[in-house]
């Protein structure tokens, strides 16, 4: 487990060990031993599977490509987590992301464990035939450990419904007669995917922010005004005020979160900046997000990166350097690209007072501490970006029932689930001086510890 996740899990366990009201059945030496056992279980994955996929390339060469499936913990249900296609994939990263999935599912009461997969490739450099071959080989190599009741992958960076359809089809051929629909989520609608799955993460990311800064504050204003909690002060300073938003990453998560902000009727929002792997776009009057979404869908996912492309898109904006998005003078920064984007080297340049983690682990431990100490509200990944796995769970259920929900039903169920989590976490968060990440982790660790104890796993 990477340092920040591991450190906060360890701190959560230490706090719970000292809290006599938590698992009071555990006393004395037995209690200490059980918590040592918990630390060992949560800090290490159950299994790390690695293989080299042997792939014939279009030029006739045969290459061997490293591929991973890490199964972190399945105390709450089958392992669940995306498969990433990216050139920077490595064992440590996949393992950390798998641990975050365990905590995310525990936090939101989703009956799944945590897993993650990855293949070390740049999918933009490969042909459709090569990508198809990689997807089939991935399933062939890992078919023994995958399955609807064992481990259920989903899309992540570099993969989408096309890859999930291919993988499910391969699983179906290898395991004929099994209920294959639940073997992968994030599939296309015709192949048993759920309406709303594509938008779920971005919608959930925006919802957590809106719920915290608007819905919750509106009902709890009096109470919050009387606390001296630093995060309550930050939140209240933005209540009912127009907000400027910048978004890093304009893919599946970032573009949907941007549209949600653009269309939001609860808050006076302006999305003044968005960025991607090439550029930052900025307009202090607000960007035309629907026009940008239209542009990326017909330009291989990339934002306009020069005056000519901006003209083509019909969007008015300044083109700036890729990383400029992070240090703009905005109220809210939504991070929806990759890990480790705010770190020791740039944390002092961050001006936003609210940061929302659409990506997994985009803020390093040092930066998290520095910004939290300044009263910056950071809505952490395991709280904010769980929309995808929550709707994946609905997809898995729909596949079992062979009954499908409408898009409206899916979004209502999604927001109900996220609201329930927020209503559990936010009163604690605004009632004590700990950052939101700590509150979320301690809640997830409590759930996992209780389940493991009741399953007789702590000895
Ligand atoms: P994606 O591949 O659709 O989009 C990624 C975006 O980030 C693209 O716009 C890309 O150009 C941009 N990008 C890449 N490198 C960048 C850089 N250095 N600076 C700025 N932008 C950069 O991926 P996605 O599905 O939107 O996922 C984004 C993040 O959200 C990832 O961390 C992923 O793990 C996390 N996440 C995704 C989901 C989901 O359902 N898609 C669920 C939970 C978490």
């Amino acid at each position: 487990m990477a340092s920040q996740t591991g450190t906060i899990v360890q701190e959560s366990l230490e706090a719970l060990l000292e809290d006599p009201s938590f698992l009071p059945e555990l006393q004395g030496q037995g209690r200490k031993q059980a918590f040592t056992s918990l630390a060992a279980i949560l800090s290490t994955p159950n299994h790390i599977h690695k293989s080299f996929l042997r792939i014939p390339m279009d030029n006739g060469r045969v290459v061997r490509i490293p591929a991973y499936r890490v199964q972190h913990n399945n105390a709450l249900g089958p392992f669940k987590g995306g498969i990433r296609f990216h050139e920077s994939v490595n064992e440590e990263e996949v393992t950390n992301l798998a641990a975050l999935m365990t905590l995310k599912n525990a936090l939101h009461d989703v009956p799944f464990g945590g897993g993650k997969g990855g293949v070390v490739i740049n999918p933009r450099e490969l042909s459709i035939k090569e990508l198809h071959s990689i997807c089939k080989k991935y399933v062939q190599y890992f078919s023994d450990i995958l399955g609807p009741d064992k481990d259920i992958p989903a899309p992540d960076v570099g993969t989408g419904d096309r890859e999930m359809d291919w993988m499910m089809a391969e699983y179906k051929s290898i395991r004929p007669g099994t209920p294959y629909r639940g073997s992968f989520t994030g599939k296309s609608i015709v192949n048993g995917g759920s309406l709303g799955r594509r938008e779920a993460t971005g919608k959930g990311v925006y919802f957590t922010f809106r719920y915290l800064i608007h819905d919750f504050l509106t009902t709890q204003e009096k109470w919050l005004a009387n606390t001296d909690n630093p995060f309550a002060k930050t939140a209240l300073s933005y209540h009912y005020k127009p907000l400027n938003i910048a978004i890093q990453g304009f893919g599946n998560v970032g573009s949907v979160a941007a549209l949600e902000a653009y269309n939001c009727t609860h808050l006076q929002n302006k999305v003044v900046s968005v960025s991607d792997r090439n550029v930052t776009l900025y307009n202090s009057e607000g960007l035309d997000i629907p026009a940008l979404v239209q542009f990326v869908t017909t330009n291989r996912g990339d934002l306009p990166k020069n005056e000519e492309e901006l003209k083509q898109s019909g969007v008015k904006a300044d083109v700036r350097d890729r990383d400029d998005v992070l240090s703009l003078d905005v109220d809210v920064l939504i991070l929806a690209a990759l890990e480790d984007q705010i770190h020791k080297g740039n944390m002092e340049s961050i001006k936003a007072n609210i940061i929302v983690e659409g990506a997994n682990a985009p803020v390093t431990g040092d930066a998290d501490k520095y910004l939290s100490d300044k009263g910056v509200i950071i809505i952490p990944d395991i709280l904010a970006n769980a929309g995808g796995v929550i709707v994946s769970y609905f997809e898995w259920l729909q596949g079992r029932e062979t009954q499908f929900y409408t898009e409206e039903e899916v979004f209502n169920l999604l927001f109900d689930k996220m609201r329930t989590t927020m209503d559990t976490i936010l009163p604690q968060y605004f009632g004590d001086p700990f950052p939101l990440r700590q509150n979320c982790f301690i809640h997830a660790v409590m759930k996992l510890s209780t389940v493991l104890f009741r399953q007789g796993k702590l000895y």
Side-chain angles (χ1 to χ4, degrees):
M1 203 186 275
S3 54
Q4 191 190 14
T5 309
T7 307
I8 306 179
V9 166
Q10 190 55 43
E11 285 167 5
S12 303
L13 286 170
E14 281 161 19
L16 290 171
L17 173 65
E18 298 306 323
D19 176 358
S21 68
F22 180 67
L23 289 180
E25 304 91 323
L26 286 167
Q27 296 280 340
Q29 192 53 31
R31 186 172 179 84
K32 281 204 179 120
Q33 215 166 311
F35 274 79
T36 309
S37 181
L38 267 171
I41 292 172
L42 297 180
S43 64
T44 46
N46 287 9
H47 310 284
I48 295 179
H49 304 277
K50 179 175 183 181
S51 203
F52 289 89
L53 312 182
R54 198 161 170 270
I55 307 292
M57 305 300 278
D58 292 349
N59 63 10
R61 265 186 340 122
V62 176
V63 294
R64 283 167 67 89
I65 301 173
Y68 301 91
R69 186 72 192 167
V70 175
Q71 299 177 318
H72 178 259
N73 189 279
N74 61 352
L76 301 181
F79 301 105
K80 183 93 189 78
I83 300 177
R84 179 173 291 197
F85 283 4
H86 196 273
E87 60 273 27
S88 70
V89 162
N90 60 70
E91 186 176 310
E92 191 191 338
E93 178 190 82
V94 184
T95 305
N96 185 41
L97 292 171
L100 280 177
M101 286 305 297
T102 302
L103 295 161
K104 198 181 295 181
N105 288 330
L107 174 65
H108 292 276
D109 253 329
V110 176
F112 287 138
K116 203 80 182 184
V119 182
V120 189
I121 48 162
N122 179 350
R124 301 175 76 90
E125 289 174 353
L126 301 177
S127 69
I128 292 201
K129 189 164 161 248
E130 289 163 339
L131 286 170
H132 187 205
S133 182
I134 289 168
C135 288
K136 282 171 55 168
K137 279 280 162 62
Y138 188 93
V139 178
Q140 289 164 16
Y141 281 50
F142 295 124
S143 68
D144 284 347
I145 57 150
L146 300 177
D149 292 309
K150 286 187 196 167
D151 185 346
I152 308 142
D156 193 75
V157 176
T159 54
D161 57 2
R162 180 185 63 182
E163 286 74 17
M164 295 306 111
D165 285 358
W166 287 338
M167 289 189 176
M168 181 198 72
E170 188 61 16
Y171 183 83
K172 186 180 171 209
S173 329
I174 296 173
R175 301 256 177 278
T178 54
Y180 61 90
R181 274 220 174 90
S183 56
F184 289 82
T185 61
K187 305 181 293 294
S188 66
I189 306 296
V190 291
N191 267 313
S194 175
L195 289 168
R197 170 63 183 85
R198 191 187 65 76
E199 299 87 354
T201 306
K203 276 192 176 265
V205 165
Y206 187 77
F207 178 81
T208 52
F209 155 69
R210 190 204 88 193
Y211 194 77
L212 187 150
I213 211 69
H214 177 269
D215 308 26
F216 187 81
L217 285 198
T218 306
T219 56
Q220 306 291 330
E221 200 168 3
K222 267 197 191 141
W223 167 63
L224 289 172
N226 289 325
T227 73
D228 53 5
N229 179 294
F231 302 111
K233 284 194 190 344
T234 305
L236 286 171
S237 71
Y238 286 110
H239 201 202
Y240 303 124
K241 295 217 176 104
L243 296 166
N244 284 344
I245 301 182
I247 302 178
Q248 187 199 36
F250 204 71
N252 179 280
V253 180
S255 66
V256 174
L259 262 185
E260 287 292 290
Y262 182 87
N263 292 322
C264 181
T265 49
H266 294 74
L267 298 167
Q268 286 176 273
N269 280 340
K270 243 190 319 185
V271 183
V272 294
S273 180
V274 297
S275 78
D276 72 357
R277 66 196 182 96
N278 301 310
V279 284
T280 287
L281 299 179
Y282 179 79
N283 182 341
S284 61
E285 299 302 314
L287 291 164
D288 182 346
I289 299 298
L292 289 172
V293 169
Q294 178 66 27
F295 184 88
V296 297
T297 50
T298 48
N299 287 276
R300 297 196 74 208
D302 287 340
L303 288 166
K305 44 188 173 302
N306 51 44
E307 290 305 326
E308 198 189 318
E309 290 185 357
L310 271 173
K311 212 168 161 195
Q312 224 178 303
S313 70
V315 173
K316 287 198 179 70
D318 298 337
V319 178
R320 300 196 178 175
D321 287 346
R322 185 189 71 185
D323 294 340
D324 283 7
V325 69
L326 298 172
S327 52
L328 291 172
D329 191 4
V330 290
D331 306 305
V332 186
L333 177 59
I334 298 180
L335 300 169
L338 292 169
E339 291 76 23
D340 300 339
Q341 295 303 299
I342 300 184
H343 47 77
K344 215 171 180 169
N346 64 6
M347 62 193 187
E348 288 176 27
S349 68
I350 307 301
K351 299 186 189 71
N353 275 318
I354 302 171
I355 294 175
V356 191
E357 294 188 336
N360 289 310
V363 180
T364 66
D366 290 328
D368 189 49
K369 179 159 182 359
Y370 172 82
L371 293 166
S372 299
D373 286 351
K374 280 177 51 179
V376 174
I377 293 176
I378 303 180
I379 307 184
D381 44 15
I382 65 166
L383 182 62
N385 72 20
V389 73
I390 292 172
V391 174
S392 275
Y393 167 55
F394 301 150
E395 180 177 335
W396 182 78
L397 280 179
Q398 292 170 81
R400 298 203 149 203
E401 294 166 0
T402 54
Q403 289 280 347
F404 290 85
Y405 313 153
T406 64
E407 191 173 75
E408 194 186 350
E409 284 170 331
V410 170
F411 292 140
N412 285 340
L413 287 167
L414 168 66
F415 296 144
D416 276 354
K417 195 128 191 76
M418 295 194 93
R419 191 179 295 114
T420 304
T421 308
M422 300 285 280
D423 284 341
T424 309
I425 297 294
L426 292 183
Q428 285 167 18
Y429 172 52
F430 288 122
D432 68 34
F434 301 113
L436 193 47
R437 194 184 313 278
Q438 262 84 346
N439 275 287
C440 291
F441 269 56
I442 205 156
H443 186 78
V445 169
M446 277 167 76
K447 164 105 192 195
L448 285 159
S449 309
T450 309
V451 167
L452 285 162
F453 172 63
R454 303 253 174 263
Q455 289 181 2
K457 296 275 170 61
L458 305 183
Y459 41 81

